[in-house]
Amino acid sequence: MDESALLKLSEGPVTRHRLADDLAALGLTAGDAVMFHTRMSAIGYVSGGPQTLIGALRDVVGERGTLMVTCGWNDAPPYDFTDWPEAWQDTLRRNHPAYDPVLSEADHSYGRLPEALRRWPGAVRSRHPDASFAALGAQADELMAEHPWDDPHGPDSPLARLVARGGRVLLLGAPLDSLTLLHHAEALADAPGKRFVDYEQPITVDGERVWRRFHDIDSQDGAFDYSAVVPEGQWPFEVIGRDMVDSGIGTTGLVGAAESHLFEAGDVVRFGVAWIEGKLRG
C-alpha cells in the first residue's frame, strides 16, 4: 500500500463527509448520472457501511443527479437447467418464483451496494431478470424503462441510455474488470466469433407467471474468445481497462484508502469497441 493510502487509513473511520470530499476531488459533480462499482473493503472502515456510501454519493450528485448499479438476479435459474433430467426441469418450471424487481435479490457476487441501492426508497429497477439494473435519482425512470428483453446489453439498454445521456462510471476500489459497461461495447463491436446465449427464466406478464426465452451476448463466459490477445490468467476487462487508463482516459485518485477511477461512459464504450475490433479482427 502506498504512503497516501496509509495516511488515509491512519485518519480513522471513513465518514460520509470524508467520502463526499474525496468523490468531489476525484471529479464527481452535481447533476451527474453515474454508474458505480464498489469494493467496500478497499475503502477502509466505512462508518455506517452502504448507507453512508450511498448518502455521500447523493450528497455530491445532488437532486439532479442519478446513481446506477448493475443487479442481475441472485436466484435466477441456471442457464443449463434445460440439460437436467426432465423430472427436475418440470419441478423447476412449476415452482420457481418469477423475477420480481422489488423482491428478487441482486446478485450477491456484485457486493453489498447493488442490493442496498435497489432497496432504497425511490429506487427503480429494470424489468429484465438476468441483466437487471437499478437507479436512484432524477433520471432513474428514463434509464430503467422498458429494458429490452433481448440484447439487454445492446442498443436502448440502460447502458446505452447512460452513454446517450452523458453519464459516467465510477470504480470505488473495484477492479477494472468490474466495468459492466464494457459488455455494452461487446454488444456493439463488429468482430468475428461473437458468442451468444439463449436461456429461459420466469417473469410476470399481466399478473401471470410465464417462462420466457431470452437472447443475449454471453456475458458469463465471455462474448468473445480473448485468449489470443489477453495473457493467460488475466481477465479481458482488466486488460482493456488498464490499456484505457494508460491511454489517459479517466481520472484516478483515492476515495478513502481505495484507488478509484472516474470515466466518461462514452469514452469507455468507444475505447472498448475500438480495442475489441482492433485486436480480434486480425
Side-chain angles (χ1 to χ4, degrees):
M1 185 178 295
D2 63 28
E3 291 183 4
S4 296
L6 287 171
L7 176 61
K8 287 284 185 178
L9 283 175
S10 70
E11 294 172 356
V14 181
T15 64
R16 178 168 172 168
H17 179 75
R18 180 174 158 195
L19 284 167
D21 283 349
D22 288 351
L23 288 164
L26 187 64
L28 197 66
T29 61
D32 281 346
V34 58
M35 182 178 185
F36 66 98
H37 305 270
T38 309
R39 189 173 66 182
M40 290 282 289
S41 62
I43 298 172
Y45 174 69
V46 178
S47 178
Q51 179 180 344
T52 293
L53 182 53
I54 292 172
L57 286 162
R58 298 188 78 196
D59 290 342
V60 179
V61 303
E63 293 296 322
R64 295 182 295 107
T66 306
L67 307 179
M68 177 172 158
V69 291
T70 183
C71 288
W73 179 15
N74 191 67
D75 298 302
Y79 288 171
D80 63 355
F81 86 90
T82 51
D83 296 332
W84 294 358
E86 188 172 344
W88 292 21
Q89 293 185 46
D90 291 344
T91 298
L92 186 75
R93 289 183 185 281
R94 287 194 303 268
N95 294 284
H96 200 291
Y99 166 75
D100 186 322
V102 175
L103 297 178
S104 299
E105 292 186 1
D107 191 324
H108 294 178
S109 68
Y110 298 155
R112 300 165 63 192
L113 269 297
E115 179 67 9
L117 186 83
R118 74 147 196 103
R119 293 167 64 98
W120 202 277
V124 181
R125 190 176 184 184
S126 70
R127 69 180 185 175
H128 197 285
D130 194 62
S132 71
F133 298 88
L136 175 69
Q139 298 185 58
D141 287 317
E142 299 171 33
L143 290 168
M144 297 296 108
E146 300 299 313
H147 190 172
W149 295 124
D150 295 315
D151 201 12
H153 294 96
D156 204 32
S157 67
L159 297 176
R161 295 172 195 169
L162 181 71
V163 173
R165 287 160 176 76
R168 312 179 85 181
V169 182
L170 174 64
L171 301 184
L172 293 170
L176 289 163
D177 66 18
S178 62
L179 276 167
T180 299
L181 188 56
L182 286 174
H183 286 311
H184 182 48
E186 289 182 319
L188 299 179
D190 181 12
K194 187 179 295 190
R195 300 188 293 216
F196 298 90
V197 289
D198 292 278
Y199 55 93
E200 298 177 59
Q201 291 182 347
I203 59 173
T204 301
V205 177
D206 297 329
E208 298 291 330
R209 185 178 70 96
V210 299
W211 284 82
R212 192 189 192 284
R213 194 165 182 82
F214 300 91
H215 179 76
D216 190 15
I217 58 169
D218 189 348
S219 61
Q220 180 171 290
D221 295 324
F224 295 98
D225 178 2
Y226 292 101
S227 60
V229 295
V230 172
E232 186 176 355
Q234 295 189 33
W235 294 101
F237 285 8
E238 177 72 27
V239 175
I240 297 171
R242 181 53 57 193
D243 286 352
M244 182 170 62
V245 170
D246 290 345
S247 74
I249 293 175
T251 58
T252 301
L254 288 177
V255 176
E259 181 180 78
S260 300
H261 303 276
L262 180 65
F263 304 104
E264 303 301 323
D267 289 345
V268 173
V269 173
R270 283 188 290 273
F271 187 92
V273 169
W275 192 100
I276 293 167
E277 292 181 348
K279 298 285 187 179
L280 299 185
R281 278 180 174 173

